[in-house]
Amino acid sequence: MVCTDFNVLTGMEIPGLGELPPRNWGVEHLSLTEQLLALLDAGVDQLGGETRPDLLVRAVRDGSVAEDRIDTSVRRVLRDKFRLGLFEDPYTDPEAAEALVGSPATRELGRRTQRRDTLRQLPERPAVYVENVDPAVAARYGRVVDRPQDADLAVVRLQAPYEQRESPLERHFHSGSLEFPADELRRLAELCATVPTAVDVFLDRPAVLTGLSDGAALLTGSFGVHDDLLLDVVFGRSAAEGVLPFDLPSSMKEVEASFEDVPFDTPNPLFRCGHRAADHD
């Protein structure tokens, strides 16, 4: 079953993001009806995020689209719903959900899962310099200091790089270069040269970590892990068992030379999909 990206035909208003323009790149010169017919000819079954069903209704009524073509897509959509059992048990018990979501057992399961997200052991109870780590949490592991020069260890948490774009959707879902700015890399290199530094990068995007992997005493990628669970791994209180879910490219040049619709086609990724913490010493 093929579903389009949001608002490929018409723009739409998203609360908190504003007005989004249509994502009909390359066929802007065609009428909306012509764009719709091209989508159907390409095999699309569902228009994601569209608010103009009248376009399809009109196309069926004037004979531009056969009802059999609509039936074909409806059959595909309904087949998946039947496979998921949505017709046998379509409703959720809200009271049961309230008892399960956020329960002590599920929270502990989440913490155990997050604890498997990072790397190796480092000395316990040093003087610690932190960036983007809650100092109150870090104080449970060592004496927090204000300057790297006074620290035995630094722990730095970073957001994967992205560029500010004009489109509200691109601002919300980060876009642009995957490389850290040169000034930031120089700053981090100086920090790593001053004190052994554990660097954690929030990988909402497959960041280019070239330039960090050699200088950092510990380099981890995470997906929202809590500060205390990251520090448990940094200080050797728990082992890291994370598995990388995508390639981390070695440069934007290789990313730009790759195909958008072909996985794993950069020739020299810094870390390959499936990489495990134990694979890298």
Side-chain angles (χ1 to χ4, degrees):
M1 196 273 285
V2 179
C3 179
T4 71
D5 200 352
F6 267 39
N7 64 299
V8 294
L9 285 177
T10 60
M12 63 188 301
E13 179 79 21
I14 295 184
L17 294 180
E19 180 70 26
L20 300 179
R23 303 163 70 82
N24 56 351
W25 304 302
V27 293
E28 299 93 333
H29 60 287
L30 300 179
S31 69
L32 289 179
T33 297
E34 290 171 329
Q35 293 179 37
L36 172 63
L37 295 179
L39 287 168
L40 295 175
D41 287 342
V44 165
D45 299 302
Q46 181 176 341
L47 302 178
E50 285 295 340
T51 57
R52 293 286 307 276
D54 58 294
L55 294 171
L56 184 56
V57 172
R58 189 183 311 136
V60 172
R61 287 176 174 170
D62 68 18
S64 300
V65 177
E67 286 192 28
D68 287 347
R69 173 64 184 84
I70 305 302
D71 291 342
T72 297
S73 287
V74 170
R75 187 177 298 110
R76 291 171 181 157
V77 174
L78 290 177
R79 180 180 58 202
D80 285 342
K81 293 181 182 292
F82 275 108
R83 285 172 172 168
L84 291 169
L86 298 182
F87 289 94
E88 288 79 8
D89 185 15
Y91 302 109
T92 298
D93 181 352
E95 294 183 1
E98 290 179 2
L100 290 172
V101 176
S103 69
T106 56
R107 286 179 179 272
E108 179 55 30
L109 174 62
R111 289 177 62 82
R112 289 203 308 272
T113 302
Q114 290 185 48
R115 189 172 279 117
R116 298 177 61 183
D117 204 13
T118 42
L119 288 182
R120 76 180 77 156
Q121 297 184 8
L122 288 172
E124 191 175 357
R125 302 299 300 174
V128 185
Y129 169 79
V130 297
E131 293 182 9
N132 302 317
V133 174
D134 186 345
V137 174
R140 303 205 299 262
Y141 296 79
R143 179 171 56 88
V144 178
V145 297
D146 295 329
R147 303 192 313 157
Q149 297 90 329
D150 300 326
D152 299 308
L153 170 70
V155 182
V156 177
R157 305 200 72 173
L158 304 172
Q159 166 74 53
Y162 65 95
E163 298 173 353
Q164 291 290 349
R165 297 291 182 85
E166 294 183 4
S167 164
L169 198 61
E170 287 185 304
R171 288 199 299 270
H172 183 72
F173 298 105
H174 295 159
S175 304
S177 176
L178 298 168
E179 290 182 331
F180 285 95
D183 289 346
E184 176 68 351
L185 284 177
R186 281 193 292 270
R187 185 188 75 83
L188 292 169
E190 291 175 1
L191 177 62
C192 292
T194 301
V195 60
T197 302
V199 178
D200 175 69
V201 183
F202 176 59
L203 293 176
D204 66 329
R205 314 181 70 217
V208 174
L209 302 183
T210 304
L212 292 177
S213 58
D214 292 335
L218 170 68
L219 177 63
T220 66
S222 62
F223 302 89
V225 64
H226 292 177
D227 285 344
D228 61 332
L229 301 182
L230 172 65
L231 291 172
D232 277 352
V233 172
V234 170
F235 284 88
R237 298 182 185 182
S238 60
E241 302 176 35
V243 179
L244 191 64
F246 41 61
D247 282 0
L248 292 184
S250 57
S251 70
M252 270 306 293
K253 183 177 181 179
E254 289 205 354
V255 172
E256 291 162 352
S258 67
F259 292 102
E260 295 181 355
D261 57 347
V262 177
F264 314 127
D265 69 324
T266 55
N268 301 295
L270 187 64
F271 296 108
R272 180 66 76 184
C273 177
H275 179 91
R276 295 175 177 270
D279 296 338
H280 187 67
D281 187 6

